[in-house]
Amino acid sequence: MKMTFRAALLGGLIILLGAAVAPTVMARKDLIYDPGPLKATDSLLKVRVGEQAPDFTLKSLSGKMVSLSDYRGKNTVVVSFIPAAWTPACSDQWPGYNIAQDVFRKHNAVILGISTDNIPTLHAWTSQMGGLWFPVLSDFWPHGEAAAKYGVLRSDGMADRTIIIVDKKGKIRYIALHNINKRPPLEEIIHELEKIR
Amino acid sequence: MRIPIIMAGMGMVALVLFSAASTLEARDDHLRALNALTLYAPEAAGDREYLGLDDEKEKISLGQIDAEILIVEIFSMYCPHCQKHAPDANKLFRVLDSRKDIRNKVKMIGIGVGNSRYEVGIFKDKYSSPFPMFDDRDSVALSTISGIYTPHYFALRIREGSIHEIVYSKSGAFPDAEAFLDMIVKESGIK
């Protein structure tokens, strides 16, 4: 009787598995969570091109505290605010910058990647990308403080997808508040870096 | 005892049939999408010669490529799996190019889905990719080829200027370039 029940259970399970798994196999994309389309932007910029960039100090994945002002007089800084780890457009954005290191270096530029996620989450997320050459900073606590200084903190606690380019004197040279659902084209950033000598 | 065994058997059959039907449906959708696709052709003279393209054509459909079987790697410059797989993709092309018996019949391209020409150029430079790579600046491929993840490989049979059949379609990297090419050659029946 036990065997009969097990075999019946097995048969039922296989039927259910066939119905549930088959249609989703082709749509699998590793560990990425897709929240669906979100409001394109949900913040009000507090900074303008030509202004001095507000300084911030945040903890990096290495444990070191990193300030924007650390790069004053040394490098152009591309500040890349992204909304959330493990989401589709964000998970595509930084790996692209990762293979363009030579192009950023050619323009004496560094990237500071900032997210309001906490350090353990950012560690797990960037590790499965294979690591990143630029500092990844957590703006988790006080939550979104750096994003709020620039006016790119959304009402849901994430940062809007924003690129801010700061020159060696600490002046803002470029701001682009992008649609949260789309990845900004790399050439836009490089084109702006070319203008800064 | 017999009835549950029959139920288990029916379950297996249902699973196989359902999977096969889903695969066939996806292939039909992909065949339509790939035939409707027009892309900006690579500018390099060597690439254009390899693909047998008319000098004047800025945009082409895949069916216009001079090949009997076209291996297509769907990738993205932003995809870390594609970056990691790039040396193997390059090896596949080199193995194919070394096969004098089939290299004029079986050709290989990449399509950088949702990537601009600049972004595809960054990828091609970084990994010294030796095969032609198309960009997808208008995100047409990205929006019409559904239900796959990158890298994805298609092997397409081309006849009379259009894609006649999808010989092979699978998401994910392959472990061995030579075995992968042998499998494509076998599946396509090309000699």
Side-chain angles (χ1 to χ4, degrees):
Chain A
M1 187 64 189
K2 258 188 185 173
M3 283 295 287
T4 308
F5 177 72
R6 279 183 192 164
L9 192 65
L10 181 68
L13 275 175
I14 288 171
I15 291 172
L16 282 174
L17 202 67
V21 174
T24 61
V25 168
M26 294 300 283
R28 184 178 72 86
K29 198 181 178 187
D30 299 314
L31 305 167
I32 304 305
Y33 173 78
D34 189 349
L38 300 173
K39 187 179 174 186
T41 58
D42 184 32
S43 58
L44 203 59
L45 279 170
K46 291 181 185 167
V47 290
R48 287 181 183 177
V49 170
E51 290 178 357
Q52 203 66 17
D55 198 18
F56 53 78
T57 302
L58 296 168
K59 194 171 185 179
S60 71
L61 285 182
S62 67
K64 190 181 155 197
M65 299 304 287
V66 173
S67 300
L68 175 64
S69 55
D70 294 344
Y71 298 90
R72 188 80 51 87
K74 297 176 192 163
N75 300 98
T76 301
V77 180
V78 177
V79 181
S80 170
F81 283 102
I82 56 108
W86 302 109
T87 55
C90 300
S91 298
D92 279 355
Q93 189 175 341
W94 288 350
Y97 300 167
N98 216 26
I99 64 165
Q101 183 179 8
D102 293 346
V103 185
F104 283 95
R105 190 184 286 154
K106 185 178 146 193
H107 294 92
N108 193 27
V110 295
I111 299 172
L112 293 182
I114 305 177
S115 163
T116 58
D117 292 292
N118 65 11
I119 290 280
T121 299
L122 289 171
H123 168 76
W125 184 50
T126 57
S127 293
Q128 62 84 42
M129 290 174 188
L132 297 168
W133 61 268
F134 52 86
V136 172
L137 311 180
S138 170
D139 193 16
F140 180 69
W141 203 257
H143 193 81
E145 189 178 55
K149 278 185 187 175
Y150 284 80
V152 298
L153 186 65
R154 293 169 66 96
S155 59
D156 55 12
M158 295 192 288
D160 260 325
R161 193 179 307 285
T162 313
I163 298 290
I164 297 168
I165 300 180
V166 180
D167 67 17
K168 282 195 270 188
K169 292 177 182 169
K171 194 176 281 188
I172 296 174
R173 299 291 294 269
Y174 173 77
I175 303 173
L177 187 65
H178 289 277
N179 180 339
I180 194 170
N181 304 296
K182 290 184 179 173
R183 186 187 62 227
L186 177 62
E187 56 264 51
E188 253 181 52
I189 300 171
I190 305 303
H191 179 66
E192 291 303 322
L193 289 176
E194 282 166 359
K195 293 182 191 169
I196 301 171
R197 295 290 173 196
Chain B
M1 188 64 186
R2 260 188 205 164
I3 291 172
I5 289 171
I6 291 168
M7 276 184 72
M10 283 170 64
M12 292 285 277
V13 170
L15 176 63
V16 170
L17 288 176
F18 198 87
S19 300
S22 299
T23 306
L24 284 175
E25 195 180 328
R27 284 207 179 185
D28 283 349
D29 289 346
H30 289 159
L31 186 60
R32 274 191 292 274
L34 289 164
N35 262 320
L37 196 61
T38 56
L39 294 166
Y40 290 91
E43 286 172 350
D47 285 347
R48 295 185 75 92
E49 190 185 341
Y50 172 73
L51 299 171
L53 300 180
D54 190 311
D55 281 347
E56 291 167 11
K57 279 180 183 145
E58 191 189 10
K59 288 181 90 172
I60 62 150
S61 60
L62 298 181
Q64 289 174 290
I65 292 172
D66 180 23
E68 289 178 35
I69 296 293
L70 183 65
I71 299 174
V72 182
E73 184 201 8
I74 304 287
F75 75 99
S76 168
M77 174 258 190
Y78 291 91
C79 154
H81 307 289
C82 305
Q83 295 168 1
K84 197 176 166 194
H85 175 65
D88 291 328
N90 292 352
K91 188 177 176 189
L92 174 63
F93 178 77
R94 291 199 182 96
V95 171
L96 173 59
D97 196 45
S98 71
R99 292 275 303 267
K100 288 181 184 171
D101 54 334
I102 56 165
R103 70 179 179 198
N104 291 328
K105 298 173 189 171
V106 182
K107 293 191 178 169
M108 178 176 170
I109 63 164
I111 300 176
V113 283
N115 292 175
S116 64
R117 173 155 288 186
Y118 181 85
E119 290 164 338
V120 167
I122 291 275
F123 189 93
K124 201 167 166 49
D125 287 350
K126 176 76 181 176
Y127 298 105
S128 305
S129 306
F131 54 96
M133 289 183 155
F134 289 69
D135 67 73
D136 181 33
R137 66 191 77 168
D138 305 323
S139 294
V140 180
L142 182 68
S143 56
T144 59
I145 306 170
S146 58
I148 65 168
Y149 62 96
T150 53
H152 183 99
Y153 278 90
F154 286 111
L156 310 173
R157 191 184 309 281
I158 294 177
R159 272 188 199 156
E160 296 167 357
S162 69
I163 303 161
H164 181 71
E165 179 195 3
I166 296 177
V167 176
Y168 176 87
S169 172
K170 195 172 179 184
S171 291
F174 52 77
D176 182 292
E178 285 169 1
F180 182 77
L181 182 61
D182 286 345
M183 184 269 297
I184 295 287
V185 169
K186 192 179 169 192
E187 290 278 317
S188 65
I190 204 136
K191 288 171 188 168

